[in-house]
């Protein structure tokens, strides 16, 4: 940030340092109100790939439920966008990414978080408590072996048990149990949804894309609110390279004579 050209005697400030240079300027604040996702160089396929990856990262890193509202809004906007895309590569990217998001959530996130919840019950009541059977009537492995359409019911049983005994559990576990079910319903519904509708008008397609780009920008604003002065956190939630055209590593060939 720019610094004004004044100092106090013997303050240690030096006028020959870059920060003390009166000609230096800070970044234009108005630029932060520009939406970088409105760039028309971003293709439908790139926007689809970025958003599916971004949503999966939001869901996987939402243990305190702070991002739930943004996940819901973005998923809704993305579903509408997915039904409007015309690019075949984008349609394929959406289908693959949704299936992968569901697979990762089922195989990685749910077992990890269920283990955390079981650990909280054991810590509160002991390994032999009948309350564990209330929360896990079929054991923990059922979450990995049951059919996809049975997961919701299993997570609801777990959520009800956690809610019933929340006085003896830390608040983060109560939040985690609720978020587990909510986020599973989000990724499962997205994975099962069809894409590529053709009945939407051009204006409708533009509105769907514009709305998704706005939701992504609001997610960026949310991250700025959560992690001020921590730019290293961005890579956890957003992979910018998915929106950019890959740069060629080959040197350009001279034109033919």
């Amino acid at each position: 940030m720019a610094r004004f050209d004044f100092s106090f005697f013997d303050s240690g400030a030096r006028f020959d340092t870059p920060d003390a240079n009166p000609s230096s300027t800070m970044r234009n604040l108005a630029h932060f109100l520009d939406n970088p996702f409105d760039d028309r160089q971003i293709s439908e396929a790139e926007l689809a790939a970025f958003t599916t990856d971004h949503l999966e990262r939001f869901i996987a890193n939402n243990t305190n439920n702070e991002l739930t509202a943004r996940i819901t809004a973005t998923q809704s906007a993305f579903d509408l966008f997915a039904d409007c895309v015309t690019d075949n590569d984008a349609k394929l990217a959406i289908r693959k990414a949704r299936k992968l998001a569901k697979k990762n959530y089922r195989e990685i996130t749910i077992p990890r978080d269920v283990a955390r919840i079981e650990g909280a019950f054991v810590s509160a009541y002991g390994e032999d408590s009948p309350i564990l059977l209330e929360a896990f009537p079929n054991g923990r492995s059922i979450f990995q072996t049951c059919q996809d359409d049975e997961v919701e019911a299993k997570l609801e049983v777990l959520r009800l048990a956690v809610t019933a005994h929340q006085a003896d559990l830390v608040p983060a576990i109560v939040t985690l149990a609720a978020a587990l079910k909510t986020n599973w319903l989000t990724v499962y519904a997205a994975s099962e949804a069809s894409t590529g509708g053709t009945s939407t008008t051009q204006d409708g397609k533009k509105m769907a894309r514009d709305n998704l780009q706005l939701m992504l920008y609001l997610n960026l604003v949310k991250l700025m609110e959560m992690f001020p002065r921590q730019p290293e956190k961005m890579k956890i939630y957003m992979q910018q390279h998915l929106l950019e055209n890959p740069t060629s590593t080959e040197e350009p060939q001279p034109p033919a004579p």
Side-chain angles (χ1 to χ4, degrees):
M1 181 179 290
R3 300 184 184 275
F4 293 102
D5 187 13
F6 65 86
S7 179
F8 296 104
F9 176 73
D10 201 25
S11 66
R14 296 177 53 191
F15 292 109
D16 59 347
T17 61
D19 281 348
N21 185 350
S23 65
S24 64
T25 58
M26 66 182 289
R27 284 176 288 180
N28 188 339
L29 294 178
H31 290 168
F32 292 98
L33 301 182
D34 281 334
N35 184 350
F37 302 102
D38 286 343
D39 188 343
R40 289 303 170 184
Q41 297 299 315
I42 299 173
S43 69
E44 284 185 346
E46 289 168 340
L47 190 60
F50 174 86
T51 305
T52 47
D53 177 83
H54 167 59
L55 275 170
E56 185 176 352
R57 290 170 180 275
F58 255 30
I59 291 170
N61 295 280
N62 186 35
T63 53
N64 294 325
N65 222 25
E66 190 172 358
L67 296 169
T68 299
R70 296 304 322 145
I71 291 170
T72 302
T74 307
Q75 186 67 63
S76 177
F78 183 62
D79 288 342
L80 183 58
F81 168 79
D83 288 336
C84 295
V85 296
T86 57
D87 184 272
N88 286 329
D89 288 340
K91 292 178 185 178
L92 181 60
I94 290 168
R95 286 195 294 270
K96 286 184 174 180
R98 283 176 166 177
K99 295 296 183 184
L100 179 61
K102 185 192 74 171
K103 180 177 182 291
N104 288 344
Y105 197 82
R106 179 80 196 271
E107 297 180 1
I108 300 174
T109 303
I110 289 180
R112 179 197 67 199
D113 290 349
V114 165
R116 289 179 56 193
I117 295 172
E118 183 187 46
F121 273 105
V122 171
S123 177
Y125 302 108
E127 293 183 356
D128 300 324
S129 172
I131 294 178
L132 278 175
L133 288 178
E134 182 182 338
F136 304 96
N138 303 112
R140 223 174 67 198
S141 62
I142 191 65
F143 292 97
Q144 295 170 276
T145 59
C146 69
Q147 298 296 316
D148 282 348
D149 56 5
E150 297 176 327
V151 174
E152 177 186 356
K154 306 300 181 186
L155 290 176
E156 176 63 7
V157 170
L158 181 59
R159 186 193 70 81
L160 290 174
V162 169
T163 303
H165 301 285
Q166 59 184 315
D168 299 324
L169 303 171
V170 296
I173 292 298
V174 180
T175 301
L176 179 61
L180 255 183
K181 179 188 172 184
T182 300
N183 293 335
W184 165 252
L185 290 177
T186 298
V187 297
Y188 181 58
S191 175
E192 297 301 304
S194 60
T195 62
T198 58
S199 61
T200 310
T201 65
Q202 288 300 317
D203 286 344
K205 293 174 182 177
K206 182 179 183 304
M207 288 177 62
R209 175 168 177 149
D210 288 348
N211 186 49
L212 175 59
Q213 290 164 182
L214 176 60
M215 293 303 103
L216 294 174
Y217 176 61
L218 294 179
N219 292 354
L220 178 61
V221 172
K222 180 64 177 178
L223 293 176
M224 287 190 280
E225 175 190 335
M226 292 172 60
F227 305 110
R229 296 173 177 164
Q230 301 177 69
E232 68 279 2
K233 297 288 187 180
M234 186 60 64
K235 62 184 179 182
I236 299 175
Y237 298 93
M238 290 184 172
Q239 297 290 300
Q240 184 173 339
H241 72 273
L242 295 175
L243 296 170
E244 299 170 338
N245 296 324
T247 56
S248 175
T249 58
E250 299 179 359
E251 294 185 4
Q253 296 295 323

